[in-house]
Amino acid sequence: MKNWTKATKTVAATLLASVVSTGALVAQECKNPEVIRFSMIPTEETTQELSLYQPLVNRIKEATGKNVEFFLPTSYASVVEAMLGGFVDLGMHGPYSYVIAQEKDPELRVIATYAKHKGQFQEEGPGYKAVLVARADSGFTTVEDLKGTVIGLTDPASTSGNLLPRVSFTKVIGAELEDYFSRVVYTGGHDLSGVAVIEGQVDAAFVATHRLDNVLDRGIASMDDYVVIWSSPVIPQDPFVVNGRLCPEIIEQIQTAFLTLNDSEEGRQYLENVNASKFVAMTDADYDIIRDLKAAKDAKNN
């Protein structure tokens, strides 16, 4: 009996050591970088002034106790590839580019997005629309007027500047964009699309409402310079996404940095500069509407 008890204790001790060892291994497996690398899809703000994001960077530094390096991307795809390759730990994506990335790496996790102020084209809250705009003096007032004209898109991975036009808008015209318009061009950005319309480089363009407001805020054009030909349903704002392999406490700290940014004067000024009132928590499920649109687009192409 004593031998049996001793053997049992030995086995139990071995199992306990194994559990502890496994727990330690799991803890070691989560990513705990010395520096958090942060990147965003190209927007009017990032291309105009990187220092605009310093208050957000500072808040993340304070919350995590880590240095933060900000990287300026060249395209939507470059942010996706940087996150998929593990080079970037935190990124702002477009809704569509996030869905593309998350399909390839399910460990990517949405933590927050902007709640935008009401603007001239932008509605208040954590959503926005794609609008098809032309110059107000162009004579174009209907979708039919635009048949055979030159149309601007933004980026192949853009939600409002490519996905919605190719899924929702094509249902309106009953044809593919390239079949309805004489030419379809990618401008490289929403602000560039807005400017291209004003300068006559394209006859009309699909632009996100909050990005079109940025063009107005820069004084390049006024609301009266545009006519809205078509508007999409509301879709969720650009998601801020973390690599889910980061240690849980780091993810929580980063999310808290976003959600409490409006607690400081510096943070509130940053939010005002991007026409937002605060950050709100978001989940992966909030972007299911984008997955449905992507599925519809993929089905058309197969």
Side-chain angles (χ1 to χ4, degrees):
M1 188 71 171
K2 288 182 179 180
N3 290 338
W4 182 87
T5 302
K6 182 178 180 181
T8 301
K9 288 180 178 180
T10 301
V11 171
T14 302
L15 287 173
L16 178 61
S18 175
V19 169
V20 172
S21 175
T22 301
L25 181 60
V26 170
Q28 290 172 1
E29 286 177 349
C30 69
K31 187 178 179 183
N32 185 15
E34 292 184 5
V35 176
I36 294 172
R37 296 188 177 94
F38 183 16
S39 188
M40 294 184 173
I41 57 171
T43 66
E44 188 271 337
E45 293 105 336
T46 53
T47 54
Q48 287 298 307
E49 188 178 5
L50 285 178
S51 61
L52 173 68
Y53 290 94
Q54 198 58 49
L56 179 56
V57 169
N58 290 343
R59 190 74 171 184
I60 296 169
K61 285 181 178 179
E62 292 170 7
T64 62
K66 298 177 181 295
N67 286 327
V68 178
E69 293 180 356
F70 190 97
F71 292 91
L72 180 63
T74 56
S75 67
Y76 285 55
S78 63
V79 181
V80 169
E81 292 306 318
M83 289 206 78
L84 293 179
F87 178 74
V88 167
D89 307 299
L90 168 66
M92 186 188 84
H93 296 259
Y96 183 31
S97 63
Y98 161 67
V99 167
I100 291 172
Q102 207 267 344
E103 281 186 355
K104 297 178 180 178
D105 184 358
E107 291 294 327
L108 298 185
R109 173 179 162 188
V110 177
I111 56 170
T113 193
Y114 293 112
K116 289 286 188 177
H117 284 309
K118 178 175 174 52
Q120 298 184 69
F121 288 98
Q122 170 64 32
E123 297 176 3
E124 186 169 358
Y128 69 105
K129 294 180 179 181
V131 288
L132 175 61
V133 294
R135 277 181 62 123
D137 61 2
S138 65
F140 301 126
T141 59
T142 67
V143 171
E144 291 74 20
D145 292 338
L146 289 172
K147 189 172 184 178
T149 61
V150 178
I151 294 296
L153 300 178
T154 57
D155 184 284
S158 171
T159 307
S160 51
N162 189 61
L163 180 63
L164 281 164
R166 293 193 180 278
V167 177
S168 299
F169 184 74
T170 52
K171 293 178 181 178
V172 175
I173 60 177
E176 297 304 310
L177 299 182
E178 284 77 6
D179 296 330
Y180 193 82
F181 300 109
S182 64
R183 192 155 58 98
V184 178
V185 299
Y186 286 103
T187 65
H190 289 278
D191 57 317
L192 296 175
S193 287
V195 172
V197 169
I198 294 301
E199 294 183 349
Q201 297 169 347
V202 297
D203 294 303
F206 292 93
V207 189
T209 48
H210 57 302
R211 301 300 177 200
L212 191 55
D213 277 354
N214 289 342
V215 175
L216 307 188
D217 292 342
R218 288 167 57 193
I220 295 173
S222 71
M223 191 172 184
D224 294 337
D225 291 326
Y226 295 101
V227 58
V228 177
I229 308 294
W230 174 83
S231 180
S232 78
V234 175
I235 50 180
Q237 285 281 355
D238 297 336
F240 285 80
V241 179
V242 294
N243 182 342
R245 296 175 184 82
L246 291 173
C247 293
E249 62 271 21
I250 299 175
I251 294 175
E252 183 178 352
Q253 290 163 353
I254 293 173
Q255 185 177 40
T256 299
F258 279 88
L259 301 183
T260 61
L261 188 65
N262 59 344
D263 289 349
S264 69
E265 181 59 37
E266 181 186 45
R268 287 190 291 271
Q269 185 59 57
Y270 161 79
L271 289 165
E272 285 298 319
N273 288 339
V274 294
N275 297 315
S277 57
K278 61 182 178 179
F279 280 103
V280 294
M282 298 290 274
T283 67
D284 179 73
D286 292 318
Y287 293 85
D288 283 347
I289 184 176
I290 308 301
R291 290 186 175 85
D292 293 342
L293 289 166
K294 181 180 183 299
K297 176 178 178 290
D298 292 345
K300 286 173 61 176
N301 294 336
N302 291 333

